[in-house]
Amino acid sequence: MYEKIFKKPRITHQTNNTQQLQRTAPEQKETMVKKDTVFLKAETAANANDQKKFLTSIKSKTENDKPTGDTLWVENEKIICGITEIGAKIISLQMKDFSYPNNGTGKDSLKRNIDLVANDTLGGANVSINGNDYDNKKFILLSKEKRIKLSKNEKKTIDFIINDDGKNKLIKRFAFDGNSYKIGFDVLSNSLDGKSITVGWKAGITESENKKATTKSLSGVSEPRKVHVYDTKIVTHIQMKKVEKEEETGFYKWAAITSKYFMVAMVADSVKNADLLIDSYDATILDNEGKRGSFLLDYGIQIKRSGEATSEGYWIYAGPSKYLLIRTYKQNFEKVLFGGWEWLLRADIWFPILCEITLWMLVSINGFIKDYGITILILTIITRLITYPLSQSSMKSMSRMKDLQPKINHLRERYKTNARKMNEEVMALYKKEGVNPFNPGCLPMFLQMPILFALFIVLRKAIELRGAHTILLPWVNDLSQPESLLSLTSVFPNGIPMYGNSIALLPIIMAILTFFQNKMTIKDPNQKMMIYFMPIFMLVLFNNFPAGLVLYWTFSNALGIVQQYMLEKSIKAKALTAPVQRSSEENRKKR
């Protein structure tokens, strides 16, 4: 919320001094003007001093009226959590195992833990009861320690207490485990029964990768934040388009806010009817020059329910969206990773499943290999084996089509004035030679497209691949980001349109392989331009894709060329042995 203060225009009234000047002798006017000028300057100065003193006293009084309190810091193996006594709110949640990207020298080169709290003024673990907001009220920390460090197997419960109207005590209780991203959060009071209790996370979530306002990379360090809601049956994904408020009613188990790699979820101990309140606000990033990047939204979530007995129980997950990790909580957290695409053949049903399978395979294989580059090669081989029967059939059809191309060209030339007759003769030739013209050569590519898209999304979204190295590409520091072998920014400060800011080696290799693959398969003169166009198109397209994805597609192309070569070699061998077999069969018949 932004508050604008408008200055009212000053209204100046004529005084009697002006009238007096009109009645005064000319020789006295100059003296009178000088006196009035001195008086007005003195009065203005006096008023300015008075106003300054007044404003200073008001500011001092306002600041003195604001409650002040200490901050408790709790550190375990995974997080460093800061909780202020003002509102007993979480104002910091640092991830010990994850730091912001290294973006330069000096201060920027120092590793800093990612803090998930985007707005520490609003904070998290907010509470209001019957509309009475406790965010700015002073709680008392029932602990003498201001910094607590937990060992791996240690647990700790911390209470913040406030006397509500001097009568009823309200306690906000936090519980920490020594080696977990889970934070227990309970609201305790003797007067909760039947009251409207709102618990929320207003602080939003930090986007860990957005260090610049704009990016030329299609891999997208910029990831729209989303809200996800689970009603014990399905996970609903919510993404707003503008700054607004939304309210929904249902039986909710949890509500979460996600960034590209991290998640903050408010999980209720029990499921009952509740109102879900979502506030979106502008979180657009500014660069060093104050220029705004692409419009981005962040969210605050609140869950309002009717209180029962003396407590309202929740817990908070605040950590990475690691697939195997969040699955251990058995809350369907993994469903926040991949969602949407309702517009594409109901891809919201089958595509997230494909993405989950792809991610599961990557993580599982890497558990043994310990190198995501080699893991991607293994996944490529598995993909080629799955699609082998159909791709082999398609390649055989293409090879036969290539052999028939001279005959087809002859028919086209012969019947070029009679299109109907030409088509009939061509189809008759296909039938005679046993070739299916509807078995397209691009079928293998289409078969791999869903997996390619799934891998593309996985490489963008999976934190497991964030900063992943491979011995196969020593110059690549992060398989989830585009490869950069040679920067072009010194020559082209804004990069080359569509191509990007740097030269990458893998896309060049892939473009060369695409050229040779097309050269092997395309013999139709009408498609000759595709031999040269497709490599250039793929080079420009893949130059800004994640290095892991380009590695997958490059290796897949190489395997496709090997498969095509082996097939053609086999066909030629059969063609050479066919006359010998026919002659031997004829000799046996003569005998």
Side-chain angles (χ1 to χ4, degrees):
M1 180 181 293
Y2 299 94
E3 183 180 350
K4 295 183 179 180
I5 301 176
F6 296 92
K7 293 183 178 180
K8 294 182 179 180
R10 182 183 299 172
I11 301 175
T12 305
H13 297 279
Q14 264 191 337
T15 64
N16 291 330
N17 291 335
T18 306
Q19 298 173 1
Q20 182 67 32
L21 282 171
Q22 295 174 353
R23 294 192 299 268
T24 306
E27 63 272 14
Q28 294 178 336
K29 285 185 180 178
E30 185 176 353
T31 304
M32 184 66 72
V33 169
K34 288 181 178 179
K35 288 183 179 178
D36 283 349
T37 303
V38 172
F39 173 77
L40 289 172
K41 286 183 177 179
E43 185 183 43
T44 303
N47 289 339
N49 290 331
D50 291 342
Q51 290 176 3
K52 187 175 180 180
K53 290 179 181 179
F54 176 74
L55 292 174
T56 302
S57 64
I58 290 294
K59 182 178 179 182
S60 176
K61 184 178 180 180
T62 303
E63 289 178 350
N64 292 334
D65 289 343
K66 287 183 178 180
T68 58
D70 293 328
T71 299
L72 169 70
W73 294 95
V74 182
E75 179 180 354
N76 64 12
E77 297 289 317
K78 300 296 183 182
I79 61 175
I80 302 174
C81 179
I83 308 174
T84 176
E85 287 183 318
I86 308 305
K89 301 174 297 187
I90 295 176
I91 58 171
S92 178
L93 262 175
Q94 300 177 35
M95 304 288 102
K96 294 179 66 175
D97 294 336
F98 303 95
S99 57
Y100 291 103
N102 192 333
N103 289 303
T105 58
K107 292 182 179 180
D108 288 339
S109 66
L110 301 176
K111 287 189 175 181
R112 297 185 297 112
N113 293 335
I114 293 172
D115 194 331
L116 296 191
V117 176
N119 190 325
D120 57 358
T121 302
L122 295 176
N126 316 89
V127 170
S128 67
I129 300 176
N130 276 356
N132 185 14
D133 196 339
Y134 288 84
D135 280 354
N136 296 313
K137 295 184 178 181
K138 175 73 176 290
F139 282 73
I140 299 172
L141 171 62
L142 298 183
S143 172
K144 295 181 180 180
E145 300 175 274
K146 299 302 179 184
R147 189 170 190 95
I148 300 172
K149 188 169 184 178
L150 304 178
S151 61
K152 187 174 183 179
N153 298 317
E154 192 176 356
K155 296 185 178 181
K156 186 73 174 181
T157 300
I158 300 147
D159 287 351
F160 290 80
I161 188 170
I162 187 173
N163 286 327
D164 190 9
D165 298 329
K167 299 178 181 179
N168 301 311
K169 291 182 179 180
L170 176 68
I171 298 174
K172 293 176 74 171
R173 175 171 294 167
F174 298 89
F176 294 86
D177 289 337
N179 191 34
S180 177
Y181 293 100
K182 179 179 178 179
I183 303 173
F185 177 52
D186 294 316
V187 179
L188 309 171
S189 177
N190 290 326
S191 60
L192 295 181
D193 196 9
K195 291 186 177 180
S196 174
I197 303 169
T198 303
V199 174
W201 186 272
K202 298 179 182 179
I205 187 169
T206 301
E207 179 46 76
S208 59
E209 309 307 299
N210 281 337
K211 304 303 290 183
K212 295 181 180 180
T214 59
T215 176
K216 300 292 184 181
S217 169
L218 292 179
S219 68
V221 296
S222 177
E223 181 78 13
R225 300 171 181 89
K226 295 180 181 178
V227 174
H228 313 265
V229 185
Y230 180 52
D231 62 0
T232 71
K233 294 180 180 179
I234 61 172
V235 175
T236 303
H237 313 281
I238 302 171
Q239 184 178 352
M240 297 182 182
K241 301 297 182 182
K242 59 183 179 179
V243 176
E244 59 183 333
K245 294 184 178 182
E246 185 172 321
E247 183 173 345
E248 297 186 1
T249 301
F251 289 83
Y252 301 121
K253 176 64 176 175
W254 55 258
I257 311 171
T258 58
S259 61
K260 183 173 184 177
Y261 289 132
F262 294 90
M263 173 174 69
V264 175
M266 296 288 302
V267 187
D269 287 346
S270 60
V271 179
K272 56 185 178 181
N273 191 34
D275 293 331
L276 174 67
L277 310 174
I278 304 173
D279 283 338
S280 63
Y281 55 89
D282 190 354
T284 303
I285 296 171
L286 304 179
D287 63 10
N288 295 331
E289 298 177 355
K291 295 180 180 179
R292 289 170 61 88
S294 301
F295 179 70
L296 293 173
L297 289 174
D298 202 353
Y299 302 92
I301 53 175
Q302 298 178 76
I303 302 174
K304 182 168 66 174
R305 312 194 306 180
S306 179
E308 296 178 1
T310 58
S311 68
E312 276 288 298
Y314 288 83
W315 57 273
I316 301 168
Y317 175 83
S321 301
K322 275 192 172 182
Y323 181 72
L324 295 182
L325 170 64
I326 57 182
R327 283 192 67 183
T328 60
Y329 291 93
K330 298 181 179 179
Q331 295 290 337
N332 275 335
F333 282 159
E334 65 273 13
K335 300 301 180 184
V336 306
L337 291 173
F338 313 108
W341 305 288
E342 293 89 346
W343 53 272
L344 182 62
L345 301 175
R346 291 311 308 269
D348 58 312
I349 297 175
W350 56 269
F351 189 63
I353 297 174
L354 182 59
C355 290
E356 285 188 36
I357 293 173
T358 303
L359 178 56
W360 176 82
M361 291 177 65
L362 275 173
V363 173
S364 300
I365 296 171
N366 193 70
F368 298 97
I369 304 300
K370 306 300 182 183
D371 186 306
Y372 272 107
I374 299 175
T375 298
I376 289 172
L377 297 189
I378 295 174
L379 181 64
T380 309
I381 294 172
I382 294 173
T383 304
R384 298 294 304 194
L385 289 174
I386 293 173
T387 60
Y388 178 80
L390 289 173
S391 63
Q392 187 75 355
S393 173
S394 178
M395 286 181 177
K396 285 181 179 179
S397 178
M398 286 184 65
S399 181
R400 295 292 303 277
M401 291 280 288
K402 183 176 63 175
D403 294 337
L404 292 177
Q405 198 62 46
K407 296 181 180 181
I408 294 173
N409 291 338
H410 175 72
L411 292 174
R412 286 175 176 172
E413 183 66 26
R414 183 177 178 182
Y415 300 103
K416 60 182 178 181
T417 58
N418 191 342
R420 182 176 179 182
K421 181 65 175 177
M422 180 187 69
N423 290 332
E424 290 177 355
E425 291 295 328
V426 170
M427 293 306 294
L429 179 63
Y430 286 149
K431 186 175 181 181
K432 179 182 176 181
E433 298 293 336
V435 175
N436 180 8
F438 301 105
N439 189 357
C442 55
L443 181 61
M445 180 182 291
F446 282 115
L447 291 172
Q448 293 183 71
M449 278 302 174
I451 299 175
L452 179 68
F453 289 147
L455 190 61
F456 174 71
I457 297 299
V458 165
L459 288 174
R460 287 185 60 193
K461 188 68 177 174
I463 193 173
E464 288 85 351
L465 284 97
R466 182 180 188 258
H469 303 263
T470 175
I471 60 174
L472 301 175
L473 308 170
W475 64 92
V476 175
N477 297 321
D478 190 345
L479 287 171
S480 68
Q481 294 297 316
E483 173 196 353
S484 179
L485 186 64
L486 180 64
S487 177
L488 296 173
T489 53
S490 59
V491 181
F492 303 99
N494 296 321
I496 299 176
M498 297 181 65
Y499 183 74
N501 297 321
S502 60
I503 296 175
L505 179 60
L506 274 179
I508 295 174
I509 296 174
M510 184 200 63
I512 294 172
L513 291 175
T514 302
F515 171 79
F516 284 109
Q517 190 174 31
N518 290 345
K519 196 78 172 176
M520 293 172 65
T521 56
I522 298 177
K523 298 298 180 181
D524 187 351
N526 296 325
Q527 299 180 9
K528 189 175 182 179
M529 284 301 299
M530 295 297 292
I531 298 176
Y532 305 98
F533 171 75
M534 283 303 294
I536 297 173
F537 173 75
M538 299 293 278
L539 172 63
V540 173
L541 180 66
F542 276 76
N543 194 69
N544 291 304
F545 279 5
L549 181 70
V550 185
L551 176 63
Y552 166 85
W553 196 247
T554 303
F555 187 54
S556 181
N557 278 359
L559 293 178
I561 290 175
V562 172
Q563 183 181 355
Q564 183 73 32
Y565 173 78
M566 297 299 293
L567 175 63
E568 291 188 357
K569 186 177 180 180
S570 174
I571 291 174
K572 288 180 180 179
K574 288 181 180 179
L576 291 175
T577 58
V580 178
Q581 291 177 352
R582 284 198 297 269
S583 61
S584 62
E585 288 177 0
E586 289 174 357
N587 291 333
R588 282 199 301 269
K589 288 180 180 179
K590 288 179 181 179
R591 294 175 184 176

